[in-house]
Amino acid sequence: MEKVTSKDGTEIAYDTYGSGPGLVLVAGGFTERSRYAADAEALASAFTVVNYDRRGRGDSGDTLPYAVEREWEDLDAVRSATGARFASAYSSGSMVLFQAGLPFEKLAVMEPPFRVEGAPEPPERYVERLQEFVAAGNPGGAAELFMVEAVGQPKQVVDQIRETPMWAGMEAIAHTLVYDALQLRDSAVPLELLASIDVPTLALYSNASPAWMQESAKQTAAALPHGKAEGYDGTFHTLSPETIARALTDYFLPT
């Protein structure tokens, strides 16, 4: 593990894998860098993969008060420290990547969760309720709100997860659900922002994801000046490390 200091003094932790052109992985919501270790290992045969903890997660710091711009600065600090040429973001991490506006040569995103037609309605007062749970010292309430009302998991499944050892780790980063909600703005496809991104970008999706998630990736690609969408066999909101490695290697390093 290595660390770099962001513009506001926050330490951002990252691991590097492999050798070759640098590729930064930007985590999605409610995850730490450990979630992407298998992807990093699969990509390491073609890239120097930089897998970092977004602020407030894992081994990274969390200087308050939070502002969305701080995460853009964190990504820039990681890019500057490692010289990475490419970046790939998962789910809501896509908005960190898009809004940061950094000079990467190519980008990739995996199912940005924009609420297109067919998506479930966003929870009422979602950001405010997350903030209330966090302020009250109830991270489990924030986690349950996200998992049940935002993602759509059955409450009984969440109740079962609460009884497992993994729940403590989920509570430890539940406050960052506020961060992702703020990054996503109103969760609509950010057409004006995407139209301003003059960088070749690949939008990936799993053929097993709900139709609205697949459509979100397609609409993202269509709104980008140099966007391309590709679907692969996978599971819900996930592609295998081998599929990720093949798709990104073919896109970033065409033969």
Side-chain angles (χ1 to χ4, degrees):
M1 184 186 72
E2 300 177 73
K3 289 188 176 182
V4 64
T5 302
S6 192
K7 185 176 180 179
D8 73 341
T10 304
E11 288 193 326
I12 304 298
Y14 64 93
D15 298 320
T16 55
Y17 302 73
S19 60
L23 167 61
V24 178
L25 304 183
V26 183
F30 211 24
T31 56
E32 298 176 333
R33 74 184 192 279
S34 58
R35 161 66 178 77
Y36 308 99
D39 288 1
E41 291 169 355
L43 286 158
S45 61
F47 302 93
T48 297
V49 186
V50 182
N51 184 24
Y52 78 101
D53 272 328
R54 288 172 55 189
R55 66 172 51 206
R57 314 174 191 208
D59 295 301
S60 288
D62 192 22
T63 304
L64 299 177
Y66 177 80
V68 291
E69 294 86 353
R70 300 294 83 78
E71 292 216 62
W72 312 344
E73 293 164 358
D74 298 345
L75 178 55
D76 191 25
V78 172
R79 182 196 63 84
S80 297
T82 61
R85 293 168 49 190
F86 309 116
S88 180
Y90 298 81
S91 193
S92 54
S94 302
M95 278 297 276
V96 176
L97 181 56
F98 286 144
Q99 294 180 105
L102 299 175
F104 291 108
E105 295 177 23
K106 289 183 179 180
L107 310 176
V109 294
M110 171 64 190
E111 290 187 4
F114 302 131
R115 292 185 183 274
V116 299
E117 184 176 354
E121 289 295 318
E124 186 176 351
R125 296 183 61 250
Y126 178 57
V127 177
E128 292 82 1
R129 290 163 67 198
L130 286 174
Q131 292 171 324
E132 290 164 4
F133 278 125
V134 172
N138 183 8
E144 182 173 310
L145 171 60
F146 169 73
M147 297 170 74
V148 175
E149 295 190 37
V151 176
Q153 288 185 298
K155 186 178 183 305
Q156 57 266 34
V157 171
V158 177
D159 289 340
Q160 293 171 359
I161 296 173
R162 278 182 176 270
E163 303 303 317
T164 68
M166 74 173 65
W167 186 253
M170 296 170 76
E171 285 190 318
I173 61 171
H175 64 287
T176 67
L177 291 167
V178 176
Y179 302 174
D180 280 276
L182 293 172
Q183 291 286 348
L184 282 168
R185 306 179 185 177
D186 62 0
S187 294
V189 180
L191 297 176
E192 185 175 353
L193 170 64
L194 296 177
S196 72
I197 298 172
D198 194 29
V199 181
T201 303
L202 174 65
L204 296 170
Y205 61 90
S206 166
N207 292 328
S209 288
W212 73 268
M213 286 187 175
Q214 300 183 43
E215 182 62 22
S216 176
K218 294 173 184 176
Q219 289 191 25
T220 297
L224 289 158
H226 308 288
K228 178 182 180 182
E230 291 182 353
Y232 293 89
D233 292 337
T235 56
F236 173 80
H237 204 36
T238 304
L239 296 176
S240 71
E242 295 74 21
T243 300
I244 290 278
R246 183 173 68 251
L248 295 189
T249 301
D250 289 347
Y251 187 70
F252 290 140
L253 304 174
T255 54

PDB file of all heavy atoms in Angstrom, residues 31-61:
ATOM      1  N   THR A  31     -18.286   0.739  -1.474  1.00  0.00           N
ATOM      2  CA  THR A  31     -17.234  -0.260  -1.640  1.00  0.00           C
ATOM      3  C   THR A  31     -15.879   0.343  -1.314  1.00  0.00           C
ATOM      4  O   THR A  31     -15.666   1.545  -1.457  1.00  0.00           O
ATOM      5  CB  THR A  31     -17.182  -0.808  -3.076  1.00  0.00           C
ATOM      6  OG1 THR A  31     -17.015   0.286  -3.997  1.00  0.00           O
ATOM      7  CG2 THR A  31     -18.432  -1.586  -3.439  1.00  0.00           C
ATOM      8  N   GLU A  32     -14.962  -0.521  -0.891  1.00  0.00           N
ATOM      9  CA  GLU A  32     -13.572  -0.159  -0.688  1.00  0.00           C
ATOM     10  C   GLU A  32     -12.743  -0.750  -1.818  1.00  0.00           C
ATOM     11  O   GLU A  32     -13.248  -1.535  -2.639  1.00  0.00           O
ATOM     12  CB  GLU A  32     -13.074  -0.697   0.657  1.00  0.00           C
ATOM     13  CG  GLU A  32     -13.820  -0.130   1.852  1.00  0.00           C
ATOM     14  CD  GLU A  32     -13.374  -0.754   3.157  1.00  0.00           C
ATOM     15  OE1 GLU A  32     -12.907  -1.912   3.144  1.00  0.00           O
ATOM     16  OE2 GLU A  32     -13.500  -0.092   4.182  1.00  0.00           O
ATOM     17  N   ARG A  33     -11.449  -0.442  -1.847  1.00  0.00           N
ATOM     18  CA  ARG A  33     -10.611  -0.912  -2.950  1.00  0.00           C
ATOM     19  C   ARG A  33     -10.475  -2.429  -2.970  1.00  0.00           C
ATOM     20  O   ARG A  33     -10.229  -3.015  -4.036  1.00  0.00           O
ATOM     21  CB  ARG A  33      -9.231  -0.246  -2.906  1.00  0.00           C
ATOM     22  CG  ARG A  33      -8.279  -0.724  -1.831  1.00  0.00           C
ATOM     23  CD  ARG A  33      -6.991   0.103  -1.850  1.00  0.00           C
ATOM     24  NE  ARG A  33      -5.912  -0.446  -1.049  1.00  0.00           N
ATOM     25  CZ  ARG A  33      -5.788  -0.307   0.264  1.00  0.00           C
ATOM     26  NH1 ARG A  33      -6.697   0.356   0.952  1.00  0.00           N
ATOM     27  NH2 ARG A  33      -4.757  -0.847   0.894  1.00  0.00           N
ATOM     28  N   SER A  34     -10.670  -3.070  -1.823  1.00  0.00           N
ATOM     29  CA  SER A  34     -10.576  -4.535  -1.783  1.00  0.00           C
ATOM     30  C   SER A  34     -11.599  -5.187  -2.709  1.00  0.00           C
ATOM     31  O   SER A  34     -11.363  -6.285  -3.230  1.00  0.00           O
ATOM     32  CB  SER A  34     -10.780  -5.041  -0.360  1.00  0.00           C
ATOM     33  OG  SER A  34     -12.043  -4.629   0.153  1.00  0.00           O
ATOM     34  N   ARG A  35     -12.722  -4.508  -2.936  1.00  0.00           N
ATOM     35  CA  ARG A  35     -13.770  -5.051  -3.822  1.00  0.00           C
ATOM     36  C   ARG A  35     -13.256  -5.221  -5.252  1.00  0.00           C
ATOM     37  O   ARG A  35     -13.750  -6.070  -6.003  1.00  0.00           O
ATOM     38  CB  ARG A  35     -14.975  -4.094  -3.788  1.00  0.00           C
ATOM     39  CG  ARG A  35     -15.972  -4.207  -4.921  1.00  0.00           C
ATOM     40  CD  ARG A  35     -16.721  -5.514  -4.928  1.00  0.00           C
ATOM     41  NE  ARG A  35     -17.698  -5.544  -5.993  1.00  0.00           N
ATOM     42  CZ  ARG A  35     -17.437  -5.751  -7.277  1.00  0.00           C
ATOM     43  NH1 ARG A  35     -16.180  -5.919  -7.672  1.00  0.00           N
ATOM     44  NH2 ARG A  35     -18.405  -5.768  -8.176  1.00  0.00           N
ATOM     45  N   TYR A  36     -12.234  -4.462  -5.636  1.00  0.00           N
ATOM     46  CA  TYR A  36     -11.765  -4.457  -7.019  1.00  0.00           C
ATOM     47  C   TYR A  36     -10.397  -5.117  -7.183  1.00  0.00           C
ATOM     48  O   TYR A  36      -9.797  -5.034  -8.245  1.00  0.00           O
ATOM     49  CB  TYR A  36     -11.735  -3.017  -7.544  1.00  0.00           C
ATOM     50  CG  TYR A  36     -13.058  -2.331  -7.315  1.00  0.00           C
ATOM     51  CD1 TYR A  36     -13.231  -1.477  -6.216  1.00  0.00           C
ATOM     52  CD2 TYR A  36     -14.160  -2.584  -8.128  1.00  0.00           C
ATOM     53  CE1 TYR A  36     -14.456  -0.876  -5.963  1.00  0.00           C
ATOM     54  CE2 TYR A  36     -15.392  -1.994  -7.873  1.00  0.00           C
ATOM     55  CZ  TYR A  36     -15.534  -1.148  -6.791  1.00  0.00           C
ATOM     56  OH  TYR A  36     -16.748  -0.571  -6.535  1.00  0.00           O
ATOM     57  N   ALA A  37      -9.927  -5.792  -6.133  1.00  0.00           N
ATOM     58  CA  ALA A  37      -8.603  -6.418  -6.188  1.00  0.00           C
ATOM     59  C   ALA A  37      -8.531  -7.483  -7.273  1.00  0.00           C
ATOM     60  O   ALA A  37      -7.529  -7.587  -7.991  1.00  0.00           O
ATOM     61  CB  ALA A  37      -8.248  -6.998  -4.827  1.00  0.00           C
ATOM     62  N   ALA A  38      -9.578  -8.279  -7.418  1.00  0.00           N
ATOM     63  CA  ALA A  38      -9.557  -9.329  -8.442  1.00  0.00           C
ATOM     64  C   ALA A  38      -9.518  -8.727  -9.842  1.00  0.00           C
ATOM     65  O   ALA A  38      -8.830  -9.245 -10.731  1.00  0.00           O
ATOM     66  CB  ALA A  38     -10.771 -10.240  -8.286  1.00  0.00           C
ATOM     67  N   ASP A  39     -10.237  -7.629 -10.050  1.00  0.00           N
ATOM     68  CA  ASP A  39     -10.183  -6.947 -11.343  1.00  0.00           C
ATOM     69  C   ASP A  39      -8.776  -6.415 -11.594  1.00  0.00           C
ATOM     70  O   ASP A  39      -8.237  -6.527 -12.705  1.00  0.00           O
ATOM     71  CB  ASP A  39     -11.175  -5.781 -11.382  1.00  0.00           C
ATOM     72  CG  ASP A  39     -12.624  -6.242 -11.461  1.00  0.00           C
ATOM     73  OD1 ASP A  39     -12.866  -7.453 -11.467  1.00  0.00           O
ATOM     74  OD2 ASP A  39     -13.509  -5.371 -11.501  1.00  0.00           O
ATOM     75  N   ALA A  40      -8.177  -5.818 -10.562  1.00  0.00           N
ATOM     76  CA  ALA A  40      -6.824  -5.272 -10.703  1.00  0.00           C
ATOM     77  C   ALA A  40      -5.833  -6.365 -11.056  1.00  0.00           C
ATOM     78  O   ALA A  40      -4.955  -6.179 -11.910  1.00  0.00           O
ATOM     79  CB  ALA A  40      -6.414  -4.570  -9.409  1.00  0.00           C
ATOM     80  N   GLU A  41      -5.955  -7.510 -10.414  1.00  0.00           N
ATOM     81  CA  GLU A  41      -5.048  -8.622 -10.699  1.00  0.00           C
ATOM     82  C   GLU A  41      -5.222  -9.119 -12.131  1.00  0.00           C
ATOM     83  O   GLU A  41      -4.245  -9.444 -12.816  1.00  0.00           O
ATOM     84  CB  GLU A  41      -5.288  -9.751  -9.704  1.00  0.00           C
ATOM     85  CG  GLU A  41      -4.838  -9.399  -8.288  1.00  0.00           C
ATOM     86  CD  GLU A  41      -5.307 -10.403  -7.249  1.00  0.00           C
ATOM     87  OE1 GLU A  41      -6.070 -11.334  -7.622  1.00  0.00           O
ATOM     88  OE2 GLU A  41      -4.933 -10.261  -6.067  1.00  0.00           O
ATOM     89  N   ALA A  42      -6.466  -9.173 -12.604  1.00  0.00           N
ATOM     90  CA  ALA A  42      -6.713  -9.630 -13.976  1.00  0.00           C
ATOM     91  C   ALA A  42      -6.165  -8.643 -14.998  1.00  0.00           C
ATOM     92  O   ALA A  42      -5.722  -9.038 -16.084  1.00  0.00           O
ATOM     93  CB  ALA A  42      -8.211  -9.840 -14.189  1.00  0.00           C
ATOM     94  N   LEU A  43      -6.188  -7.361 -14.665  1.00  0.00           N
ATOM     95  CA  LEU A  43      -5.706  -6.321 -15.577  1.00  0.00           C
ATOM     96  C   LEU A  43      -4.192  -6.154 -15.531  1.00  0.00           C
ATOM     97  O   LEU A  43      -3.605  -5.519 -16.413  1.00  0.00           O
ATOM     98  CB  LEU A  43      -6.358  -4.985 -15.221  1.00  0.00           C
ATOM     99  CG  LEU A  43      -7.837  -4.830 -15.602  1.00  0.00           C
ATOM    100  CD1 LEU A  43      -8.492  -3.757 -14.743  1.00  0.00           C
ATOM    101  CD2 LEU A  43      -7.972  -4.502 -17.082  1.00  0.00           C
ATOM    102  N   ALA A  44      -3.546  -6.730 -14.522  1.00  0.00           N
ATOM    103  CA  ALA A  44      -2.133  -6.464 -14.270  1.00  0.00           C
ATOM    104  C   ALA A  44      -1.201  -7.011 -15.347  1.00  0.00           C
ATOM    105  O   ALA A  44      -0.044  -6.581 -15.432  1.00  0.00           O
ATOM    106  CB  ALA A  44      -1.732  -7.040 -12.907  1.00  0.00           C
ATOM    107  N   SER A  45      -1.677  -7.917 -16.182  1.00  0.00           N
ATOM    108  CA  SER A  45      -0.816  -8.435 -17.241  1.00  0.00           C
ATOM    109  C   SER A  45      -0.614  -7.418 -18.362  1.00  0.00           C
ATOM    110  O   SER A  45       0.334  -7.525 -19.144  1.00  0.00           O
ATOM    111  CB  SER A  45      -1.414  -9.720 -17.825  1.00  0.00           C
ATOM    112  OG  SER A  45      -2.688  -9.467 -18.394  1.00  0.00           O
ATOM    113  N   ALA A  46      -1.491  -6.394 -18.430  1.00  0.00           N
ATOM    114  CA  ALA A  46      -1.397  -5.399 -19.502  1.00  0.00           C
ATOM    115  C   ALA A  46      -1.163  -3.979 -18.993  1.00  0.00           C
ATOM    116  O   ALA A  46      -0.723  -3.117 -19.763  1.00  0.00           O
ATOM    117  CB  ALA A  46      -2.670  -5.415 -20.342  1.00  0.00           C
ATOM    118  N   PHE A  47      -1.455  -3.724 -17.708  1.00  0.00           N
ATOM    119  CA  PHE A  47      -1.405  -2.367 -17.176  1.00  0.00           C
ATOM    120  C   PHE A  47      -0.685  -2.331 -15.824  1.00  0.00           C
ATOM    121  O   PHE A  47      -0.613  -3.341 -15.121  1.00  0.00           O
ATOM    122  CB  PHE A  47      -2.826  -1.820 -16.943  1.00  0.00           C
ATOM    123  CG  PHE A  47      -3.695  -1.789 -18.153  1.00  0.00           C
ATOM    124  CD1 PHE A  47      -4.540  -2.854 -18.452  1.00  0.00           C
ATOM    125  CD2 PHE A  47      -3.699  -0.689 -19.002  1.00  0.00           C
ATOM    126  CE1 PHE A  47      -5.365  -2.830 -19.568  1.00  0.00           C
ATOM    127  CE2 PHE A  47      -4.516  -0.654 -20.125  1.00  0.00           C
ATOM    128  CZ  PHE A  47      -5.359  -1.728 -20.412  1.00  0.00           C
ATOM    129  N   THR A  48      -0.211  -1.147 -15.473  1.00  0.00           N
ATOM    130  CA  THR A  48       0.078  -0.855 -14.077  1.00  0.00           C
ATOM    131  C   THR A  48      -1.225  -0.340 -13.490  1.00  0.00           C
ATOM    132  O   THR A  48      -1.656   0.778 -13.785  1.00  0.00           O
ATOM    133  CB  THR A  48       1.180   0.213 -13.926  1.00  0.00           C
ATOM    134  OG1 THR A  48       2.397  -0.278 -14.490  1.00  0.00           O
ATOM    135  CG2 THR A  48       1.414   0.547 -12.464  1.00  0.00           C
ATOM    136  N   VAL A  49      -1.874  -1.177 -12.702  1.00  0.00           N
ATOM    137  CA  VAL A  49      -3.210  -0.864 -12.207  1.00  0.00           C
ATOM    138  C   VAL A  49      -3.105  -0.167 -10.855  1.00  0.00           C
ATOM    139  O   VAL A  49      -2.420  -0.638  -9.944  1.00  0.00           O
ATOM    140  CB  VAL A  49      -4.057  -2.137 -12.074  1.00  0.00           C
ATOM    141  CG1 VAL A  49      -5.491  -1.774 -11.687  1.00  0.00           C
ATOM    142  CG2 VAL A  49      -4.043  -2.936 -13.371  1.00  0.00           C
ATOM    143  N   VAL A  50      -3.783   0.956 -10.739  1.00  0.00           N
ATOM    144  CA  VAL A  50      -3.801   1.733  -9.500  1.00  0.00           C
ATOM    145  C   VAL A  50      -5.204   1.628  -8.914  1.00  0.00           C
ATOM    146  O   VAL A  50      -6.169   2.121  -9.492  1.00  0.00           O
ATOM    147  CB  VAL A  50      -3.437   3.206  -9.761  1.00  0.00           C
ATOM    148  CG1 VAL A  50      -3.410   3.981  -8.447  1.00  0.00           C
ATOM    149  CG2 VAL A  50      -2.104   3.317 -10.493  1.00  0.00           C
ATOM    150  N   ASN A  51      -5.313   0.966  -7.777  1.00  0.00           N
ATOM    151  CA  ASN A  51      -6.601   0.691  -7.135  1.00  0.00           C
ATOM    152  C   ASN A  51      -6.627   1.446  -5.814  1.00  0.00           C
ATOM    153  O   ASN A  51      -5.927   1.090  -4.875  1.00  0.00           O
ATOM    154  CB  ASN A  51      -6.726  -0.818  -6.918  1.00  0.00           C
ATOM    155  CG  ASN A  51      -8.072  -1.228  -6.350  1.00  0.00           C
ATOM    156  OD1 ASN A  51      -9.067  -0.528  -6.508  1.00  0.00           O
ATOM    157  ND2 ASN A  51      -8.109  -2.375  -5.684  1.00  0.00           N
ATOM    158  N   TYR A  52      -7.416   2.522  -5.732  1.00  0.00           N
ATOM    159  CA  TYR A  52      -7.351   3.383  -4.551  1.00  0.00           C
ATOM    160  C   TYR A  52      -8.648   3.398  -3.754  1.00  0.00           C
ATOM    161  O   TYR A  52      -9.724   3.093  -4.280  1.00  0.00           O
ATOM    162  CB  TYR A  52      -6.938   4.806  -4.943  1.00  0.00           C
ATOM    163  CG  TYR A  52      -8.018   5.685  -5.553  1.00  0.00           C
ATOM    164  CD1 TYR A  52      -8.671   6.639  -4.780  1.00  0.00           C
ATOM    165  CD2 TYR A  52      -8.353   5.591  -6.904  1.00  0.00           C
ATOM    166  CE1 TYR A  52      -9.627   7.483  -5.332  1.00  0.00           C
ATOM    167  CE2 TYR A  52      -9.308   6.421  -7.469  1.00  0.00           C
ATOM    168  CZ  TYR A  52      -9.952   7.365  -6.672  1.00  0.00           C
ATOM    169  OH  TYR A  52     -10.911   8.178  -7.218  1.00  0.00           O
ATOM    170  N   ASP A  53      -8.515   3.723  -2.475  1.00  0.00           N
ATOM    171  CA  ASP A  53      -9.671   3.925  -1.618  1.00  0.00           C
ATOM    172  C   ASP A  53     -10.138   5.366  -1.755  1.00  0.00           C
ATOM    173  O   ASP A  53      -9.371   6.306  -1.478  1.00  0.00           O
ATOM    174  CB  ASP A  53      -9.310   3.677  -0.142  1.00  0.00           C
ATOM    175  CG  ASP A  53      -9.467   2.233   0.289  1.00  0.00           C
ATOM    176  OD1 ASP A  53     -10.354   1.554  -0.242  1.00  0.00           O
ATOM    177  OD2 ASP A  53      -8.699   1.796   1.171  1.00  0.00           O
ATOM    178  N   ARG A  54     -11.376   5.553  -2.177  1.00  0.00           N
ATOM    179  CA  ARG A  54     -11.929   6.895  -2.158  1.00  0.00           C
ATOM    180  C   ARG A  54     -12.005   7.401  -0.719  1.00  0.00           C
ATOM    181  O   ARG A  54     -12.034   6.608   0.224  1.00  0.00           O
ATOM    182  CB  ARG A  54     -13.307   6.900  -2.819  1.00  0.00           C
ATOM    183  CG  ARG A  54     -13.226   6.733  -4.338  1.00  0.00           C
ATOM    184  CD  ARG A  54     -14.585   6.540  -4.980  1.00  0.00           C
ATOM    185  NE  ARG A  54     -15.506   7.622  -4.647  1.00  0.00           N
ATOM    186  CZ  ARG A  54     -16.809   7.600  -4.952  1.00  0.00           C
ATOM    187  NH1 ARG A  54     -17.323   6.558  -5.582  1.00  0.00           N
ATOM    188  NH2 ARG A  54     -17.575   8.615  -4.629  1.00  0.00           N
ATOM    189  N   ARG A  55     -11.999   8.700  -0.537  1.00  0.00           N
ATOM    190  CA  ARG A  55     -11.936   9.255   0.818  1.00  0.00           C
ATOM    191  C   ARG A  55     -13.102   8.748   1.670  1.00  0.00           C
ATOM    192  O   ARG A  55     -14.221   8.555   1.191  1.00  0.00           O
ATOM    193  CB  ARG A  55     -11.882  10.774   0.812  1.00  0.00           C
ATOM    194  CG  ARG A  55     -13.081  11.509   0.320  1.00  0.00           C
ATOM    195  CD  ARG A  55     -12.927  13.015   0.571  1.00  0.00           C
ATOM    196  NE  ARG A  55     -11.653  13.505   0.063  1.00  0.00           N
ATOM    197  CZ  ARG A  55     -11.027  14.581   0.542  1.00  0.00           C
ATOM    198  NH1 ARG A  55     -11.561  15.282   1.525  1.00  0.00           N
ATOM    199  NH2 ARG A  55      -9.880  14.979   0.032  1.00  0.00           N
ATOM    200  N   GLY A  56     -12.781   8.511   2.944  1.00  0.00           N
ATOM    201  CA  GLY A  56     -13.786   7.993   3.865  1.00  0.00           C
ATOM    202  C   GLY A  56     -13.890   6.490   3.877  1.00  0.00           C
ATOM    203  O   GLY A  56     -14.703   5.932   4.620  1.00  0.00           O
ATOM    204  N   ARG A  57     -13.052   5.822   3.094  1.00  0.00           N
ATOM    205  CA  ARG A  57     -13.138   4.367   2.973  1.00  0.00           C
ATOM    206  C   ARG A  57     -11.775   3.738   3.244  1.00  0.00           C
ATOM    207  O   ARG A  57     -10.745   4.315   2.922  1.00  0.00           O
ATOM    208  CB  ARG A  57     -13.602   3.970   1.570  1.00  0.00           C
ATOM    209  CG  ARG A  57     -14.792   4.774   1.074  1.00  0.00           C
ATOM    210  CD  ARG A  57     -15.112   4.432  -0.356  1.00  0.00           C
ATOM    211  NE  ARG A  57     -16.079   5.370  -0.917  1.00  0.00           N
ATOM    212  CZ  ARG A  57     -16.930   5.082  -1.888  1.00  0.00           C
ATOM    213  NH1 ARG A  57     -16.932   3.880  -2.414  1.00  0.00           N
ATOM    214  NH2 ARG A  57     -17.770   5.992  -2.342  1.00  0.00           N
ATOM    215  N   GLY A  58     -11.802   2.531   3.785  1.00  0.00           N
ATOM    216  CA  GLY A  58     -10.575   1.758   3.934  1.00  0.00           C
ATOM    217  C   GLY A  58      -9.466   2.507   4.629  1.00  0.00           C
ATOM    218  O   GLY A  58      -9.608   3.024   5.739  1.00  0.00           O
ATOM    219  N   ASP A  59      -8.325   2.612   3.947  1.00  0.00           N
ATOM    220  CA  ASP A  59      -7.125   3.226   4.521  1.00  0.00           C
ATOM    221  C   ASP A  59      -6.961   4.698   4.160  1.00  0.00           C
ATOM    222  O   ASP A  59      -5.945   5.300   4.503  1.00  0.00           O
ATOM    223  CB  ASP A  59      -5.886   2.445   4.067  1.00  0.00           C
ATOM    224  CG  ASP A  59      -5.877   1.025   4.609  1.00  0.00           C
ATOM    225  OD1 ASP A  59      -5.908   0.879   5.843  1.00  0.00           O
ATOM    226  OD2 ASP A  59      -5.852   0.073   3.806  1.00  0.00           O
ATOM    227  N   SER A  60      -7.931   5.271   3.454  1.00  0.00           N
ATOM    228  CA  SER A  60      -7.857   6.689   3.113  1.00  0.00           C
ATOM    229  C   SER A  60      -8.464   7.546   4.219  1.00  0.00           C
ATOM    230  O   SER A  60      -9.312   7.090   4.996  1.00  0.00           O
ATOM    231  CB  SER A  60      -8.579   6.974   1.788  1.00  0.00           C
ATOM    232  OG  SER A  60      -7.848   6.468   0.701  1.00  0.00           O
ATOM    233  N   GLY A  61      -8.019   8.805   4.283  1.00  0.00           N
ATOM    234  CA  GLY A  61      -8.556   9.733   5.266  1.00  0.00           C
ATOM    235  C   GLY A  61      -9.902  10.298   4.837  1.00  0.00           C
ATOM    236  O   GLY A  61     -10.454   9.928   3.793  1.00  0.00           O
TER     237      GLY A  61
END
